[in-house]
Amino acid sequence: MDLREQLCGRYCSFYKPSRDEAVACGGYRVIEKLSATMSLDLVSCAETSSSYTRERISAVLCAACPFYRDDCDFARNVTDAPPCGGLIAIASLVEQDSISIDDLLSVL
Ligand code: SF4
């Protein structure tokens, strides 16, 4: 199973398997970089996390995301849209102590 299936397919409500995604969101990029040096269990990781953790992650992750300015309603708070799957997965990994905010900052 590749990262798009493990991450986007499981966590992201915006993911369309048939679409050729040339640009990856900031969350995907972070998970991809961290996976190169850490063992991240995206399969058994919880799909839920607190809004507090998601806001902490968003504060450092979203500003570095190519979708932040024009394409992400969650980051712009214009609707009650959910965050991308990358942010959801990162927040869950942080809550279960698989990664830290410092790990996240090290690859941004
Ligand atoms: S929530 Fe939006 S801005 Fe933040 S990383 Fe995901 S796609 Fe990018």
Side-chain angles (χ1 to χ4, degrees):
M1 190 181 289
D2 69 14
L3 191 54
R4 285 206 187 269
E5 287 178 55
Q6 286 185 359
L7 178 59
C8 312
R10 179 169 182 212
Y11 293 93
C12 193
S13 56
F14 308 108
Y15 177 57
K16 295 183 175 60
S18 58
R19 195 168 60 196
D20 183 24
E21 305 270 8
V23 180
C25 75
Y28 181 96
R29 290 178 177 183
V30 163
I31 296 280
E32 187 174 45
K33 287 178 186 172
L34 291 176
S35 295
T37 57
M38 305 172 75
S39 178
L40 302 178
D41 184 359
L42 293 169
V43 175
S44 56
C45 182
E47 291 181 46
T48 56
S49 54
S50 69
S51 57
Y52 171 74
T53 301
R54 291 184 182 190
E55 285 170 18
R56 284 177 67 211
I57 304 300
S58 176
V60 293
L61 175 67
C62 296
C65 177
F67 299 154
Y68 174 70
R69 182 182 295 269
D70 300 317
D71 297 318
C72 184
D73 288 344
F74 170 80
R76 291 182 295 152
N77 279 322
V78 296
T79 69
D80 58 357
C84 69
L87 189 148
I88 291 170
I90 290 167
S92 296
L93 290 165
V94 167
E95 286 195 347
Q96 68 179 33
D97 293 325
S98 295
I99 61 174
S100 66
I101 298 290
D102 284 343
D103 292 328
L104 174 59
L105 290 170
S106 74
V107 293
L108 285 175

